[in-house]
Amino acid sequence: MNFLAPLKHFPNIIFVFAGVILFLLPLLVWEGLMFPSTFAKTIFFITIVEVMFVFWLPGAYASLKHRVFSPVSVFVLVFFGATVLSAIFGADFYQSVWSNYERMMGLWTFSHLILFFLIIATTIAKGYQWLWLFRIVALSSLVVALIGFAEFLETGTAFRIESTLRNSAFLASYLFLAVFINLWLLLREARFTFASLLWGAGLLSAFSVIILTGTRGTMLASVAGFLFLSA
C-alpha cells in the first residue's frame, strides 16, 4: 500500500477549505455571544486555518522552497515581523497578543492570517482555482449586501447599516474590496450573459450598501478608484 498516495489530494482539500472560509466568514453571526460577529468570525477562521495547516504541513517544505520567496510574500513576512516587534515592545503585551472580544485582532489572530496567506499562496497554483476563489468572494459579498438592503428596508430610515459585520466601518471596508473584485469579474465576461449580470448586480449592490453605511472615507476611496481605473 502506498501511504503517500492520499497526499496528492491535500491541495484540493485545502482549496475547499479556503472557499469555505471566503464564503462563510463574512456571513457568520452567533447571536448568543456578547460580540456576535467579530468573536464568532475569528474563532471560525482560526479553527479552519488550523485544520488547513494539518493538510498543508506534510508538503510545506517543498511548497515554501519553490514559492514563498516572491516580492509579495517577502513584504508580508517583513510586515509580520514588524508587527511582532511592536507587540513585544508595546505598552501592553497581553493586549497586543490577544486583543479583546470586540476587535479580536491581536497577534494571535494576525499570525493565523499570515498562515492562511502562506498556505493558499504555496498550495493554490492554478489560475482557475484563483478565479473561483474570487467568484466565491463576490458571491458572499452579494449576500452580505442583500442582507444590508433588508436591514435598511426593515425600518425605512436606517442609516449606517451594519449587515452581518455588525459594524458600519467594517462593512464598508469589506465591500470596498468586493466592488473592485466584482468589477474585475464583470470585465472578464461577455455582455448580457448571466455571469455578467450577476457580477454587475454584485458591483452595484456593494457600492450602494457602502453609501448606506455612511462611511465617507470608503465612499471617496471607491469613487477615486473608479476615476483612477477610467483614466
Side-chain angles (χ1 to χ4, degrees), residues 14 46 76 80 112 205:
I14 290 171
I46 287 174
V76 169
F80 179 61
H112 283 78
S205 298

Side-chain angles (χ1 to χ4, degrees), residues 18-84:
V20 168
I21 285 179
L22 293 174
F23 185 79
L24 291 183
L25 191 64
L27 303 173
L28 190 63
V29 177
W30 187 357
E31 295 294 350
L33 300 172
M34 182 178 294
F35 298 101
S37 179
T38 52
F39 186 80
K41 286 176 170 59
T42 304
I43 296 302
F44 173 77
F45 174 76
I46 287 174
T47 301
I48 299 299
V49 168
E50 290 183 357
V51 173
M52 292 172 67
F53 177 73
V54 172
F55 288 100
W56 177 71
L57 190 58
Y61 176 76
S63 297
L64 290 171
K65 182 179 179 181
H66 292 99
R67 296 179 188 164
V68 75
F69 295 109
S70 69
V72 174
S73 298
V74 171
F75 174 80
V76 169
L77 293 175
V78 170
F79 182 70
F80 179 61
T83 304
V84 172

Side-chain angles (χ1 to χ4, degrees), residues 200-211:
L203 169 61
L204 293 175
S205 298
F207 186 69
S208 300
V209 172
I210 287 174
I211 294 172

Side-chain angles (χ1 to χ4, degrees), residues 1-219:
M1 180 181 292
N2 184 2
F3 292 100
L4 297 179
L7 293 178
K8 67 180 181 180
H9 300 295
F10 284 6
N12 292 328
I13 295 172
I14 290 171
F15 172 71
V16 171
F17 276 122
V20 168
I21 285 179
L22 293 174
F23 185 79
L24 291 183
L25 191 64
L27 303 173
L28 190 63
V29 177
W30 187 357
E31 295 294 350
L33 300 172
M34 182 178 294
F35 298 101
S37 179
T38 52
F39 186 80
K41 286 176 170 59
T42 304
I43 296 302
F44 173 77
F45 174 76
I46 287 174
T47 301
I48 299 299
V49 168
E50 290 183 357
V51 173
M52 292 172 67
F53 177 73
V54 172
F55 288 100
W56 177 71
L57 190 58
Y61 176 76
S63 297
L64 290 171
K65 182 179 179 181
H66 292 99
R67 296 179 188 164
V68 75
F69 295 109
S70 69
V72 174
S73 298
V74 171
F75 174 80
V76 169
L77 293 175
V78 170
F79 182 70
F80 179 61
T83 304
V84 172
L85 291 175
S86 69
I88 294 172
F89 296 105
D92 190 330
F93 181 72
Y94 181 87
Q95 285 286 334
S96 295
V97 173
W98 301 110
S99 187
N100 54 52
Y101 292 127
E102 183 179 6
R103 296 295 178 178
M104 298 294 291
M105 271 306 296
L107 188 61
W108 177 245
T109 303
F110 196 76
S111 65
H112 283 78
L113 287 167
I114 298 299
L115 181 59
F116 179 69
F117 167 80
L118 288 175
I119 290 172
I120 63 172
T122 59
T123 304
I124 300 173
K126 297 174 181 174
Y128 77 88
Q129 291 179 312
W130 284 104
L131 179 58
W132 269 108
L133 291 182
F134 281 115
R135 287 169 174 166
I136 289 169
V137 172
L139 289 172
S140 183
S141 71
L142 178 58
V143 177
V144 171
L146 292 175
I147 293 172
F149 279 127
E151 180 185 337
F152 176 76
L153 295 174
E154 186 176 355
T155 61
T157 58
F159 195 57
R160 294 192 63 81
I161 61 175
E162 300 174 344
S163 188
T164 55
L165 277 77
R166 300 300 174 86
N167 182 296
S168 298
F170 289 176
L171 176 60
S173 299
Y174 166 69
L175 291 178
F176 172 75
L177 296 175
V179 162
F180 292 99
I181 290 173
N182 275 284
L183 177 61
W184 177 71
L185 291 171
L186 174 62
L187 294 176
R188 290 176 53 88
E189 303 292 342
R191 290 185 178 182
F192 305 116
T193 61
F194 174 78
S196 66
L197 295 174
L198 179 62
W199 309 135
L203 169 61
L204 293 175
S205 298
F207 186 69
S208 300
V209 172
I210 287 174
I211 294 172
L212 293 176
T213 65
T215 309
R216 292 185 292 272
T218 311
M219 294 183 213

